[in-house]
Amino acid sequence: MSDNISACRALAEHAVDAVVATEVIFSNDIDVLAIEQATRPLREVLNTHQIKTGDFEYVLHTLMFDLAQQLPSATVPRLDRSDNEDSMTMRRLVALIDIATEFSDNGTTDSSLVFTLLEEAMDMVSVAVACEVFGHIERRASVLRRNMSATGGKGIVMLKMCNSLLRRIPHSTMSEFAGRVQLFVANSFTLSERSGVNLRGDISTAVVAVPKDIDDNEEGEDAEKQQLYRAFWSLQEYFANPQSAFTPTADDKSGTGFITAATLTLDEFRKTTTSRSAPIQLDPTGDEPLRHLTSRSLLQMQFGDAQFKCQILLQLLIFIKYALAMSGDRLTELRATATNKLVVSGIEISEADQSTLRDLRRRASSQLVSAANDRGLFSRTTQFVLFHENNWSRWKANSCRPFEGAAMPELVEEMQAAAEAFLAVRDAHFPPSGTFMGGSDQQLSAEMLDELGATLQRIDLVAAMQKLDIYCRGDSDYELLTQSEQTCADVSQWRALRSAVMDDMFRHVDPASKSLAQLRDEVLPLSSDSYDVSMMEVDS
């Protein structure tokens, strides 16, 4: 038995060296043919049952252990073509990962073997070396995730490996690596996977920035600074636990502590914002992580930092959106259709406070543009994300159902109804493509866009677009857009609808339903010549 294992070990080492020689480890996609050729002697031994599968897996475990043990902890060997010994060891280790991936994928070994090997290797190497190895895992993600389940098999082993790695990663200095690991886990399973959607709506208050330099005996200007310091950092407690923001306490009998703190913060932000500041530079590498340093002596310096202010304003906008969604009429609408009542807890907010929150939201949105000083790019990105947040809230309230496409007959009926409205105003003229929303908007002035908006209203754009679920004016955040941005959004949706109708985009969606081409012919009988003229008029 020992002779067979020794022979298998020699064949495995030879296969690793052969894979390294082919340089397939540097490609973004795994080269199955090259690995099969490099591991042919191994496969012949396994196919003829000269060695058992369990013994073969044991050999791979011992080989991975030896390679991981050879990697240094003080330095980080790179996965490159250099001749130094450490880089060669790294190349052999990832080659072994590719071999294990192929044998796991084709059923020769247990499907979880590759992640078991990776878990052992990650536990033995330093976090910096693990980061280098993880880059190779990301390149092989499409194969590694194949037939993965969160409730058994290699999915469980992958979760153990990633959770163990996350516990070791220093988030203060390697936040980007931690984010990559979390994204890998999130993308490995369906979005509706029950273990990762927080169906109970639990909140975490474990990490909250708490002010320390508080002195209630100060007077005069120092007392005002103390009030601002206390109010500003109290926002973090409200952000972490939204239910507490409007609940009366011994120190806040009126339950308006959040509104007072937010107002003071926005007032101070306005004083410290200047158009001469440099545009915000968000570092995507994670080398400069945002930290909450709560020393009172740093507060004025933090208020002068554009990146810090943008972070707080973004938190404020997210919080206000959540608070408004969980109160008033929007809460009533959500509860009427919700199947998961746990995430629709509701917040008791008076009409006056709701109005104040909307005003704070407008102020925060406006200050985000000024603070970033990047011509509104950061603000538009923020508004775009928040604009679609309602869909996420409804999905959570409906128990995170798996995503399924709309039934085809319903989709066709919806498009037919919108097509009728479109065809009624088919001769309307529109600006050329690329003159708004991401295009070269210099071709249209604000006055021209406003005038175009009025024109669109006269041709009953609203009546047509309301027949589609994608109509964006039904969202309360639509009011945050400027007049020009609202017009751009309207025109973009209108052009999308027009293209769908005139190009017969849904003709083959459901053969059993009446196609849009038939609808067009019934509502607007056209010969081929007149049809071409109509298209020219619409696109002019």
Side-chain angles (χ1 to χ4, degrees), residues 184-454:
F184 182 84
V185 174
N187 293 332
S188 297
F189 308 110
T190 61
L191 191 59
S192 55
E193 167 57 43
R194 309 287 285 184
S195 62
V197 294
N198 189 16
L199 286 174
R200 296 187 303 176
D202 295 332
I203 59 175
S204 174
T205 58
V207 184
V208 178
V210 179
K212 300 177 181 179
D213 304 335
I214 295 180
D215 185 359
D216 295 327
N217 298 321
E218 294 185 347
E219 299 178 355
E221 183 178 350
D222 290 337
E224 293 180 0
K225 292 181 179 179
Q226 179 68 42
Q227 181 186 15
L228 174 63
Y229 173 72
R230 183 197 297 267
F232 173 75
W233 285 115
S234 69
L235 287 176
Q236 296 301 318
E237 299 179 9
Y238 297 131
F239 293 157
N241 186 9
Q243 290 288 345
S244 66
F246 303 93
T247 303
T249 62
D251 297 330
D252 179 24
K253 293 183 169 52
S254 62
T256 58
F258 167 76
I259 291 178
T260 302
T263 302
L264 284 173
T265 299
L266 290 177
D267 289 343
E268 191 65 24
F269 278 2
R270 181 177 53 82
K271 296 176 185 177
T272 57
T273 299
T274 171
S275 60
R276 295 189 297 272
S277 60
I280 185 174
Q281 297 291 332
L282 295 179
D283 179 24
T285 66
D287 294 335
E288 300 179 7
L290 291 171
R291 305 176 187 174
H292 280 150
L293 304 178
T294 58
S295 173
R296 180 176 167 182
S297 60
L298 295 175
L299 189 60
Q300 289 302 319
M301 185 183 301
Q302 289 169 326
F303 279 4
D305 187 292
Q307 185 170 346
F308 181 83
K309 284 194 290 189
C310 285
Q311 182 196 16
I312 301 302
L313 290 170
L314 178 58
Q315 289 179 314
L316 189 59
L317 287 170
I318 293 173
F319 176 89
I320 293 176
K321 180 173 182 64
Y322 174 81
L324 290 175
M326 291 297 162
S327 61
D329 295 337
R330 298 187 67 180
L331 176 62
T332 303
E333 295 174 3
L334 191 59
R335 278 178 171 168
T337 57
T339 59
N340 183 9
K341 305 298 182 182
L342 293 174
V343 298
V344 191
S345 55
I347 303 177
E348 295 294 332
I349 307 178
S350 65
E351 290 290 340
D353 286 345
Q354 290 182 43
S355 177
T356 304
L357 285 176
R358 294 188 183 94
D359 180 62
L360 289 173
R361 182 174 63 177
R362 283 189 288 269
R363 291 183 60 189
S365 179
S366 175
Q367 288 194 18
L368 193 62
V369 178
S370 304
N373 196 26
D374 60 352
R375 299 182 180 180
L377 176 60
F378 184 79
S379 176
R380 288 195 300 272
T381 304
T382 300
Q383 299 298 351
F384 177 82
V385 174
L386 294 178
F387 190 80
H388 295 278
E389 188 69 13
N390 284 342
N391 296 328
W392 176 264
S393 300
R394 286 193 294 268
W395 179 68
K396 294 282 285 187
N398 289 320
S399 301
C400 303
R401 297 173 182 171
F403 286 95
E404 298 177 357
M408 290 306 181
E410 296 178 5
L411 180 61
V412 172
E413 288 177 6
E414 180 185 328
M415 290 301 300
Q416 287 171 350
E420 291 178 353
F422 165 74
L423 293 172
V425 290
R426 63 188 181 280
D427 294 330
H429 291 260
F430 295 90
S433 300
T435 57
F436 45 80
M437 292 298 281
S440 178
D441 54 5
Q442 297 179 354
Q443 301 179 35
L444 287 177
S445 64
E447 292 77 11
M448 294 171 63
L449 286 171
D450 292 340
E451 181 181 352
L452 177 60

